[in-house]
Amino acid sequence: MTTPNPRVIFAKIPEAAQGLGGLPLPGEHLVYDDSPVIDLENVPLNGGFLTKMLVLSPEPALRERMRDPKLQSYTTPFILGAPVIGFGIVVVLRSEKEGIKVGDYMYGQTPWEAYTVQPYIEVVPNPGGAFPLTRYASLLGTPGLSAFVGFEGLAEAAPGKTIFVSAGASGVGSMVVQLSKLKGMKVIASAGTDEKVEYLKSLGADVTFNYKKESYSSFLAKNKPFQVYWDNVGGEALEAAIEHIEPFSHIVCCGSLGDYQRAPEERYGIKNTTLIFKRRLTIRGFLVPDLIPKFAGKFFAEIPALVAQGKLKGQESIIEGLENAPDAFLKMLKGGESVGKVVVVVAKE
Amino acid sequence: MTTPNPRVIFAKIPEAAQGLGGLPLPGEHLVYDDSPVIDLENVPLNGGFLTKMLVLSPEPALRERMRDPKLQSYTTPFILGAPVIGFGIVVVLRSEKEGIKVGDYMYGQTPWEAYTVQPYIEVVPNPGGAFPLTRYASLLGTPGLSAFVGFEGLAEAAPGKTIFVSAGASGVGSMVVQLSKLKGMKVIASAGTDEKVEYLKSLGADVTFNYKKESYSSFLAKNKPFQVYWDNVGGEALEAAIEHIEPFSHIVCCGSLGDYQRAPEERYGIKNTTLIFKRRLTIRGFLVPDLIPKFAGKFFAEIPALVAQGKLKGQESIIEGLENAPDAFLKMLKGGESVGKVVVVVAKE
């Protein structure tokens, strides 16, 4: 007996000429395909296990993989015609693997399809505990972990300092805002809608602004000093932060949301890099896996408890159905409309 | 009896609208004034001492001080109508200060004038020894010290690594090239004339190019990998280095020679800052005084001996006469024509 096994296919490279700019459009670059079927009872496991997708997490890093394979980058490119692969939470339906049993919740990089036979992903710690599973795609997932390891490792955070966080209402940004407040820092944070600015205030941000109403540079000129800048945006925000940050400050480059929609040649050009030495700045970039060995233990020791105690909050913008995953991805990349981390709930057990 | 005491006056802010772009022109912004006189025997010392200027060192950092005082920067602005102040080597003619006697050679920040009554500058170590005094304005002066402290403190230099040095034939650049070779590194270096490229080869650089004949990006694409970038130039060179450097690399921002001639809004805009996190780069800027406490001791313990042994070389482009100091400063800022650190010999004892 077969069951439908729909999936989301990487069908076309956005802006093929460059491969790294432009938005992937649902139905064109990311295509929902409901034609595959699977025999859940008899599909060979080859020593692995069969999982059912429950939750998937659309994240900016996936955009990087939707590129011309000739372009080098920090991730392997997706294969045209194959499913998108991203962070997801699954439940085990059958298993031939020692230590993994039916009903286990697991998470990690997994294809965007309803059912998958896979060799290994990680066991979810504490499933069915104090958190809904979607938390593992937000506060306790990639965004939360990214924020935590970068903040611990590179931000030189300290009580009394002021931090500026761009895209402060994003999954990563909202976590950085809250970690900074827990650390005893003053927080300046920006977002692109008034609703998000309100959200920032609810998270404890001290000074907030809507960068679509007042430019980064104009606002920071009036609201400095600050000694740490957490960059989720790049471009204009990074230039404004370099322009107004205190000497001997630290900038953490975590993302460039402002650049994902643009081809490389259309990106904003930063003209004030001469201030890097005049201000004696330290600018560091990281990707989550670099810092996981050093800080993941601390993350899992501290953060779930803070979430359970309500000391760390995080809104989620939940979208239902695998068929809507391409739209959810686009919504996340474009930002704007929704407050909170975009999470796709594919199935409820 | 009076003696002429000519000086170089900061007479006008270059490109007043911005105050930080454009070249200072001799006779307009920097004016040689031979009208002052001084009574060398009777001028009151007020507990200080009287010095005669021997050598002065035109350095890029002076340009920063020739600005509109309303613009904040890392140095205090020069006073309009007062002499330029910069690094110079002087000899003491009279002294009322304990420990400082006639005939002592001293160096430090001193006005661009023939004779000065001053409260204190530093005693030159080992004068009249193995080096001509001009070395204290090149290898053993600000350029050499800048290169040394930045290289020791921030370059993460190590045997087997490859470093790219822009403006490799400059005072700082030529020192970094040689320190890198002494460390056992491979050196890629750029300069703006074929004569300078030959000079780079004579210093031991392994791979060299004239950036006016082939772009930074094109050359680096063919000659990577490299793991350290020493940036003396900014703009296009920095962008190309970010584009082609290895992941987990280090960039040291020491200067932006490419920007001194341009107003801020005309500067080159770097569009690939998104690679800072994708490549996990560490970009750090410094000014010499920041690192002097930590590394100056090592500099004076190691570098004079290496200079004496001929293991560190440095050409000087010597210009004679205080009246030519404004031209010398312009020549240094524009680069191009001359090979070696520009040094002005004001008097020979």
Side-chain angles (χ1 to χ4, degrees), chain B residues 3 14 55 70 74 88 147 179 235 239 245 252 279 312 336:
Chain B
T3 303
V55 172
K70 289 194 289 291
Y74 64 94
L179 292 173
E239 184 177 66
I245 202 165
V252 182
R279 295 260 160 83
L312 281 174

Side-chain angles (χ1 to χ4, degrees), chain A residues 278, chain B residues 14 20-26 29-30 57-66 74 112 167 170 196 211-212 232-233 255-262 267 319 325-338 340-342:
Chain A
K278 290 179 183 171
Chain B
L20 278 174
L23 294 169
L25 302 180
H29 308 98
L30 298 182
S57 180
E59 294 166 5
L62 299 185
R63 175 63 189 85
E64 191 74 15
R65 305 188 65 181
M66 298 174 192
Y74 64 94
W112 284 17
S170 65
K196 288 184 179 177
Y211 73 89
K212 288 181 180 161
N232 290 316
V233 171
S256 52
L257 284 168
D259 284 334
Y260 290 117
Q261 306 186 36
R262 299 177 187 152
R267 289 179 184 162
I319 292 173
D327 276 315
F329 184 69
L330 189 65
K331 184 178 174 182
M332 178 279 305
L333 271 190
K334 288 168 72 177
E337 303 126 45
S338 61
K341 169 67 170 66
V342 175

Side-chain angles (χ1 to χ4, degrees), chain A residues 6-10 30-33 56 82-85 111-113 322-326:
Chain A
R7 52 190 190 164
V8 175
I9 297 293
F10 176 50
L30 298 181
V31 172
Y32 178 72
D33 172 15
L56 63 84
V84 170
I85 294 173
W112 282 18
E113 61 189 357
L322 184 60
E323 68 277 19
N324 294 317

Side-chain angles (χ1 to χ4, degrees), chain B residues 289-309:
Chain B
D290 310 334
L291 297 170
I292 279 186
K294 193 160 176 197
F295 296 109
K298 194 173 182 208
F299 176 80
F300 287 111
E302 294 179 4
I303 299 305
L306 290 170
V307 175
Q309 294 161 22

Side-chain angles (χ1 to χ4, degrees), chain A residues 131-163:
Chain A
F131 325 108
L133 276 179
T134 55
R135 285 288 180 277
Y136 293 100
S138 59
L139 275 177
L140 298 173
T142 313
L145 190 59
S146 302
F148 185 84
V149 301
F151 189 79
E152 287 287 321
L154 304 177
E156 305 286 332
K161 279 189 176 182
T162 300
I163 186 172

Side-chain angles (χ1 to χ4, degrees), chain A residues 243-257:
Chain A
E243 193 71 29
H244 297 294
I245 202 166
E246 291 277 278
F248 300 101
S249 288
H250 291 262
I251 295 177
V252 182
C253 292
C254 176
S256 51
L257 284 168

Side-chain angles (χ1 to χ4, degrees), chain B residues 15-343:
Chain B
E15 295 207 4
Q18 287 294 337
L20 278 174
L23 294 169
L25 302 180
E28 182 178 352
H29 308 98
L30 298 182
V31 173
Y32 177 72
D33 173 14
D34 61 1
S35 64
V37 291
I38 187 170
D39 181 341
L40 295 175
E41 283 168 29
N42 299 305
V43 60
L45 303 185
N46 301 315
F49 50 92
L50 173 67
T51 62
K52 179 183 178 184
M53 173 78 86
L54 300 178
V55 172
L56 63 82
S57 180
E59 294 166 5
L62 299 185
R63 175 63 189 85
E64 191 74 15
R65 305 188 65 181
M66 298 174 192
R67 70 178 190 272
D68 185 332
K70 289 194 289 291
L71 294 170
Q72 285 220 329
S73 186
Y74 64 94
T75 50
T76 49
F78 285 143
I79 296 165
L80 276 173
V84 170
I85 294 173
F87 187 87
I89 299 146
V90 301
V91 63
V92 177
L93 300 185
R94 289 168 51 208
S95 174
E96 290 176 355
K97 197 166 189 99
E98 204 181 317
I100 293 177
K101 57 184 193 306
V102 174
D104 277 356
Y105 294 94
M106 306 197 74
Y107 64 11
Q109 296 296 315
T110 186
W112 284 17
E113 60 189 358
Y115 303 98
T116 309
V117 175
Q118 30 202 349
Y120 192 68
I121 51 178
E122 300 285 328
V123 177
V124 173
N126 192 31
F131 325 109
L133 277 178
T134 54
R135 286 289 180 279
Y136 293 101
S138 58
L139 276 177
L140 299 173
T142 314
L145 190 60
S146 302
F148 185 85
V149 301
F151 189 80
E152 288 287 321
L154 305 177
E156 304 285 334
K161 278 189 176 182
T162 299
I163 186 172
F164 165 47
V165 185
S166 58
S170 65
V172 171
S174 58
M175 183 76 161
V176 174
V177 166
Q178 295 178 86
L179 292 173
S180 301
K181 290 310 299 177
L182 287 171
K183 193 87 175 182
M185 298 170 78
K186 179 180 169 185
V187 174
I188 304 171
S190 62
T193 69
D194 289 346
E195 196 187 352
K196 288 184 179 177
V197 168
E198 287 307 311
Y199 177 52
L200 285 174
K201 289 178 187 165
S202 78
L203 297 176
D206 301 280
V207 183
T208 55
F209 68 106
N210 180 340
Y211 73 89
K212 288 181 180 161
K213 292 189 172 173
E214 178 164 9
S215 76
Y216 290 106
S217 186
S218 159
F219 190 86
L220 292 175
K222 289 181 290 190
N223 290 279
K224 54 187 176 184
F226 57 101
Q227 298 82 30
V228 184
Y229 170 49
W230 184 285
D231 185 30
N232 290 316
V233 171
E236 210 170 335
L238 179 55
E239 184 177 66
I242 290 173
E243 193 72 31
H244 297 294
I245 202 165
E246 292 277 279
F248 300 101
S249 289
H250 292 261
I251 295 177
V252 182
C253 292
C254 176
S256 52
L257 284 168
D259 284 334
Y260 290 117
Q261 306 186 36
R262 299 177 187 152
E265 69 277 11
E266 289 165 2
R267 289 179 184 162
Y268 187 89
I270 292 182
K271 293 186 175 178
N272 62 354
T273 49
T274 178
L275 293 175
I276 297 171
F277 76 88
K278 291 180 183 171
R279 295 260 160 83
R280 297 86 143 184
L281 304 180
T282 297
I283 304 176
R284 285 182 286 190
F286 78 103
L287 294 173
V288 192
D290 310 334
L291 297 170
I292 279 186
K294 193 160 176 197
F295 296 109
K298 194 173 182 208
F299 176 80
F300 287 111
E302 294 179 4
I303 299 305
L306 290 170
V307 175
Q309 294 161 22
K311 290 182 181 164
L312 281 174
K313 291 175 261 184
Q315 281 194 37
E316 289 162 2
S317 172
I318 292 179
I319 292 173
E320 299 202 349
L322 184 61
E323 69 276 20
N324 294 315
D327 276 315
F329 184 69
L330 189 65
K331 184 178 174 182
M332 178 279 305
L333 271 190
K334 288 168 72 177
E337 303 126 45
S338 61
V339 172
K341 169 67 170 66
V342 175
V343 177

